[in-house]
C-alpha cells in the first residue's frame, strides 16, 4: 500500500490486531521512505443482493432506505430503536445466508 504522505510504494505493517467485535483488522503501517505511520482497517466486503421493486425495476440494497421505511411505518409507535436495528440486522443476515427475502411490497433477490 502506498504511503498517504509521500506516496512511496514501500510501507510495512508494524502491528495487526482484530477489533473487539471481530469484524475488522486494524493495521499500523510505517512508510520506509518518510517514516510516517498510518492505520488501515480491513473489513469484509459483502455484495448484497439487489432489490426488485414492485414495478420490476431494480435498485441497490440500501440499509438506510430500509431504516427510513421502518421509521415511517412505526411513526409515533413506541418501538425502541434497538428493535428496529435488530430487525434490519435479521433481514440483512437472511439475505446473506439465503440470497433472498420477500416482503409485502418488495422482493429481494441475489443477483
Ligand atoms: Zn511516506
Amino acid at each position: 500500500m502506498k504511503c498517504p504522505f509521500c506516496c512511496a510504494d514501500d510501507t510495512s505493517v508494524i502491528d495487526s490486531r482484530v477489533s473487539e467485535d471481530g469484524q475488522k483488522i486494524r493495521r499500523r503501517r510505517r512508510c520506509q521512505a518518510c517514516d510516517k505511520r498510518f492505520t488501515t482497517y480491513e473489513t469484509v466486503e459483502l455484495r448484497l443482493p439487489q432489490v426488485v421493486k414492485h414495478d420490476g425495476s431494480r435498485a441497490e440494497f440500501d440499509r438506510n432506505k430500509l431504516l427510513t421505511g421502518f421509521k415511517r411505518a412505526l411513526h409515533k409507535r413506541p418501538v425502541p430503536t434497538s428493535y428496529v436495528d435488530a430487525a434490519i440486522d435479521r433481514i440483512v443476515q437472511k439475505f446473506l445466508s439465503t440470497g433472498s427475502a420477500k416482503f409485502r411490497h418488495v422482493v429481494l433477490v441475489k443477483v
Side-chain angles (χ1 to χ4, degrees):
M1 169 170 275
K2 273 191 178 181
C3 169
F5 304 103
C6 73
C7 294
D9 288 316
D10 214 5
T11 58
S12 55
V13 176
I14 50 177
D15 186 42
S16 295
R17 62 187 64 183
V18 178
S19 66
E20 264 176 46
D21 60 5
Q23 311 259 2
K24 271 188 266 185
I25 296 175
R26 179 182 184 276
R27 295 187 205 282
R28 281 298 285 165
R29 292 173 184 262
R30 188 174 68 85
C31 175
Q32 310 282 12
C34 71
D35 207 40
K36 286 204 168 101
R37 286 155 197 237
F38 58 100
T39 304
T40 58
Y41 290 93
E42 185 179 305
T43 55
V44 176
E45 185 184 70
L46 296 169
R47 228 188 105 82
L48 285 164
Q50 283 192 315
V51 176
V52 180
K53 293 188 176 178
H54 209 51
D55 65 2
S57 66
R58 286 171 185 244
E60 291 299 315
F61 174 78
D62 183 343
R63 193 189 166 100
N64 282 329
K65 277 190 191 162
L66 200 55
L67 182 63
T68 305
F70 267 90
K71 278 185 182 162
R72 207 172 284 147
L74 300 171
H75 185 60
K76 287 187 178 169
R77 281 167 212 242
V79 178
T81 316
S82 61
Y83 283 32
V84 174
D85 284 340
I88 294 175
D89 282 345
R90 281 199 301 275
I91 291 167
V92 172
Q93 281 299 321
K94 189 166 157 57
F95 262 172
L96 293 171
S97 58
T98 66
S100 73
K102 262 189 184 184
F103 299 95
R104 211 174 74 174
H105 294 297
V106 289
V107 180
L108 304 147
V109 292
K110 196 171 205 166
V111 290

